[in-house]
Amino acid sequence: AQKITQTQPGMFVQEKEAVTLDCTYDTSDPSYGLFWYKQPSSGEMIFLIYQGSYDQQNATEGRYSLNFQKARKSANLVISASQLGDSAMYFCAMRIEKLTFGTGTRLTIIP
Amino acid sequence: KAGVTQTPRYLIKTRGQQVTLSCSPISGHRSVSWYQQTPGQGLQFLFEYFSETQRNKGNFPGRFSGRQFSNSRSEMNVSTLELGDSALYLCASSSGTGAQETQYFGPGTRLLVL
């Protein structure tokens, strides 16, 4: 069975600071994909970044980077230079046959 | 490219009624998945369709069903609605069904059952 754990229900971060959102996963399958999504209050899930289980380098997309530590089964999202528009729910997800989501972290950026 | 579209965006139904939700995937995408999001249960996978065939199914009762058409558009049906079916229903599309395939989500349909 596959499982995603996000241990931070909520975080408050000062604008312009970097923030790390934690995610650990559990699977015995060697082939999987790890994803991060952002969900603003409007409800739409916005894809941020992807990391494949066989990828050697950490994924980066603009201000987003994924700190992939395979041995520790962690896939933390790092947002550099946070902005007010980053305030939202953030979900970590893993896909093998289907996409399984964590419980999410509510990030609030303080001006 | 246009994104994933879902209709209707909002819906109010009463217990016992049935409802059909529609999802149009990104052009060229052949896989469509459906998810239910509630405050209590979080995001739960309902089912996935690829080329008109159901590939995976989540742990939901038979009242929840779906189908996919030849143009990859998908519909989800919930019969005999219960209060607990009130949720945000999200549809997502991807090119394929592999672990590396990114799913892109639509805006969702908010269903309220009274």
Side-chain angles (χ1 to χ4, degrees):
Chain A
Q2 56 195 73
K3 187 178 179 181
I4 292 281
T5 302
Q6 294 181 254
T7 57
Q8 306 154 309
M11 288 186 70
F12 290 85
V13 173
Q14 205 76 36
E15 189 181 6
K16 296 187 177 65
E17 287 186 351
V19 57
T20 297
L21 305 181
D22 296 340
C23 172
T24 58
Y25 61 93
D26 188 25
T27 180
S28 56
D29 199 302
S31 179
Y32 51 87
L34 295 162
F35 302 84
W36 278 91
Y37 289 88
K38 171 184 178 182
Q39 188 178 42
S41 56
S42 61
E44 183 170 358
M45 297 286 281
I46 302 167
F47 165 70
L48 296 177
I49 196 166
Y50 158 80
Q51 180 86 42
S53 59
Y54 296 116
D55 293 343
Q56 297 294 315
Q57 292 193 322
N58 288 341
T60 59
E61 287 284 352
R63 294 186 300 113
Y64 305 107
S65 60
L66 199 153
N67 185 359
F68 181 45
Q69 298 189 40
K70 195 169 183 177
R72 297 179 61 185
K73 293 189 175 180
S74 75
N76 298 339
L77 177 70
V78 180
I79 306 174
S80 64
S82 58
Q83 303 170 356
L84 296 178
D86 293 334
S87 293
M89 281 289 289
Y90 287 80
F91 291 94
C92 179
M94 175 170 62
R95 180 167 184 173
I96 299 174
E97 290 187 339
K98 62 178 183 177
L99 199 58
T100 300
F101 286 88
T103 51
T105 296
R106 182 172 297 280
L107 176 64
T108 303
I109 307 299
I110 306 166
Chain B
K1 253 187 191 178
V4 178
T5 58
Q6 291 186 245
T7 56
R9 294 292 311 279
Y10 303 92
L11 209 48
I12 300 175
K13 292 286 188 178
T14 55
R15 277 181 300 173
Q17 287 186 311
Q18 76 164 15
V19 67
T20 299
L21 311 182
S22 181
C23 172
S24 292
I26 292 171
S27 177
H29 283 188
R30 297 166 64 189
S31 172
V32 173
S33 297
W34 289 88
Y35 299 85
Q36 181 197 64
Q37 186 176 25
T38 60
Q41 299 297 318
L43 279 151
Q44 293 186 289
F45 170 76
L46 280 156
F47 27 65
E48 179 177 23
Y49 287 87
F50 181 80
S51 293
E52 301 179 67
T53 302
Q54 188 178 87
R55 294 292 299 265
N56 278 301
K57 189 176 190 306
N59 189 24
F60 278 82
R63 300 185 297 107
F64 291 81
S65 63
R67 59 178 176 167
Q68 186 180 34
F69 302 95
S70 58
N71 61 359
S72 295
R73 189 177 70 86
S74 177
E75 287 183 348
M76 190 192 98
N77 184 273
V78 187
S79 62
T80 319
L81 284 166
E82 299 177 359
L83 296 179
D85 297 333
S86 295
L88 176 66
Y89 290 88
L90 291 162
C91 165
S93 77
S94 59
S95 298
T97 59
Q100 74 283 6
E101 296 284 349
T102 298
Q103 293 192 344
Y104 296 92
F105 284 78
T109 294
R110 290 190 185 274
L111 172 65
L112 177 62
V113 182
L114 302 175

